[in-house]
Amino acid sequence: MASSTYVTSLCVCDLLVAQCDVNCCCDPDCSASDFSVFSGCSIPVVIGDGQLCTQVATLYSINASSVPQRITEKVEVVNPNVFCIQATNYQPALSYITPDNPTATSFDSLLTEFGGNEFNTENGAQNAVGSAAARNATRYEYGSPILTPNSYLTLPAPLGTRACTDSNPVGFLESQDFMCSRSIQIENCSVPALTFGTYKNIQILPVPNSQNGLNVTIQTITLQSIDGVLIRGNLSDYVPSYDSNTGVCSNAVLEGSYSVTYTDQGEITSVSVSFILGAINKSPFQQKFHIHFIEDGSASAPLSGNPGYVFGLPLVAGFKLPQSGIIRSTNRFGQLTLLKSSSDQNCLAEDGKRAPVLFGYNMMSGCTLRMNYSDAAFCQIAADTTLNALTGQQFPDYVAQFGNSQPENVLDWVAINSIIPVEQASIEGMCKIPVSLKMEVRWTKFGSLVNPQAQIVNVTQEITNAFIPNNLGREVFVQISTSVTFLDVSQSAVPGYRAQPTIDAKLPFDFFYPFV
């Protein structure tokens, strides 16, 4: 039955007429003496139609007193599915009962009930806030909705079409990426769906039965211009605003990335988010939201492809120890890096600042080292400084062949080969200083021709040195440069057969008569 009013009359285990069914706690024919021999309730929960968004469920149990009794409790259950039925004005519609056809006497009453633009229940549709059973839980389980003090954590997502819906609940441990189309009036862009505060001024309950919520921590705010240029913004409040002169709405929420940290006990410990606020001048436009979960105390190492590398994602690199697998940093942006260029081009000022090597992107950077020395003792210091600027503190010696290569599978990693150029040995009166680092990454397309995956097959590095005279007695400027080049060494597919087909034809014996 669709109505929750009669949910107590539903008892699917009541099979015997005027007799008590064993372990059927909702059977009205069972007495206290019958309950004493029950081992439990075969159906502890009786609920109405599961398609409804809000409904009443009846919980059955038996107390453990000397005189066993049936305990009945009614709770409100909320269906977090976005496809649930919020309101129905025709109760038999959810069952298999054939509705009555309109007649001359019932036509006016049906017209009054169904003639409007929308259908409502007698008491009106009420928004679901979270069922009592869900809020009494002591831990989150996989797929259960993440609760806030008054509702669920929801993120914009497409529903049926590409249009955004703002009532999509987020499930625990369900990492998802959403992209939907938002249609608005540019002149009136100060709507909650585009406002920064809508997505940051929320609290998350660490466990469903918690009384205190966790505030969402803002990690970064990036501002995007109408041309797509990104700059780092301040951690302050932003409100969408429309400029009538340019026809552009600024500071609208374009993208949000949530990171949820949890424990193995099903408790959320922290929630952080990064936003991209941009300028829009047309409607509709795309909104993107991401959410991923990280177990507290575990090292998170995102992939750079699954399995092959993805263009624009950083290379995965690490170190190989004897009798061990690959050791790599959990920060994939800090695994294989190059010298990061700056406006002043000072190598000493940029010590420690590195840029990740991104797959498929040829990169070049450099800096200037200013030296002023009068003896050869300073030569070794200058050589160590330039080498540290080129390679960083720890330069890896292995690179993963695939974007998802695991550290324990050493065969899925390739060693970085060092090329030693042929050059003159140390010359007396000259200071030998490394001035450039060149890297070459060879990759190929692996797997099916329909969906080829990028695989790295070889990585080489070459450090070039320069000789500078000692005791010049003046200031010397040395140009330091680093570069990385990606080469596609895939071989083009050649059509053909594994073996030439053979002709197996049988002709009649007089086929060539009278010539033969």
Side-chain angles (χ1 to χ4, degrees), residues 316-516:
V316 181
F319 304 89
K320 175 68 171 63
L321 298 181
Q323 306 299 326
S324 176
I326 302 296
I327 299 177
R328 62 188 181 99
S329 171
T330 58
N331 179 15
R332 62 176 181 175
F333 291 96
Q335 293 172 3
L336 185 61
T337 58
L338 291 180
L339 172 67
K340 186 175 183 179
S341 299
S342 63
S343 57
D344 55 5
Q345 295 290 305
N346 189 345
C347 292
L348 298 180
E350 297 300 321
D351 186 21
K353 297 182 180 180
R354 312 286 294 177
V357 177
L358 306 179
F359 180 80
Y361 286 76
N362 297 334
M363 304 172 63
M364 179 177 293
S365 61
C367 62
T368 301
L369 181 65
R370 183 176 60 183
M371 300 186 300
N372 189 0
Y373 57 92
S374 57
D375 53 39
F378 187 77
C379 178
Q380 186 62 39
I381 300 177
D384 295 340
T385 302
T386 54
L387 183 61
N388 182 66
L390 291 174
T391 62
Q393 295 292 336
Q394 291 182 333
F395 196 81
D397 50 15
Y398 275 81
V399 172
Q401 293 188 19
F402 298 96
N404 65 348
S405 297
Q406 300 301 316
E408 59 270 15
N409 300 328
V410 182
L411 297 180
D412 286 347
W413 298 70
V414 294
I416 300 179
N417 301 317
S418 297
I419 298 178
I420 302 178
V422 179
E423 58 184 17
Q424 297 180 346
S426 298
I427 304 175
E428 185 178 357
M430 303 290 288
C431 181
K432 182 179 178 181
I433 297 178
V435 292
S436 68
L437 170 64
K438 298 179 181 179
M439 294 189 61
E440 182 181 270
V441 181
R442 296 175 180 263
W443 65 281
T444 182
K445 297 182 179 68
F446 178 84
S448 170
L449 293 175
V450 179
N451 185 24
Q453 303 295 312
Q455 175 191 12
I456 294 178
V457 295
N458 183 264
V459 181
T460 58
Q461 67 166 346
E462 179 181 357
I463 296 180
T464 305
N465 300 308
F467 292 90
I468 300 176
N470 288 326
N471 301 323
L472 289 178
R474 58 183 176 84
E475 194 173 56
V476 178
F477 292 89
V478 181
Q479 297 294 330
I480 309 298
S481 64
T482 59
S483 63
V484 59
T485 304
F486 287 84
L487 297 179
D488 184 2
V489 295
S490 303
Q491 296 183 356
S492 302
V494 179
Y497 303 96
R498 291 187 176 181
Q500 290 294 332
T502 59
I503 300 177
D504 186 11
K506 295 182 180 180
L507 302 176
F509 70 95
D510 59 348
F511 181 79
F512 294 102
Y513 180 83
F515 303 103
V516 178

Side-chain angles (χ1 to χ4, degrees), residues 57 94 180 202 226 255 264 275 332 376 419 442 480:
L94 299 179
C180 57
I202 56 177
I226 197 67
E255 186 172 345
D264 56 358
F275 289 103
R332 62 176 181 175
I419 298 178
R442 296 175 180 263
I480 309 298

Side-chain angles (χ1 to χ4, degrees), residues 203-214:
Q203 287 187 329
I204 304 299
L205 297 185
V207 291
N209 62 349
S210 176
Q211 301 299 324
N212 299 320
L214 296 173

Side-chain angles (χ1 to χ4, degrees), residues 302-326:
L303 305 178
S304 289
N306 191 16
Y309 277 97
V310 177
F311 279 83
L313 294 183
L315 265 64
V316 181
F319 304 89
K320 175 68 171 63
L321 298 181
Q323 306 299 326
S324 176
I326 302 296

Side-chain angles (χ1 to χ4, degrees), residues 15 23 31 35 64 136 172 188 302 307 317 336 388 415 427 462 506:
L15 304 178
N23 291 339
S31 61
F35 294 145
N136 291 332
F172 183 64
N188 301 321
L336 185 61
N388 182 66
I427 304 175
E462 179 181 357
K506 295 182 180 180

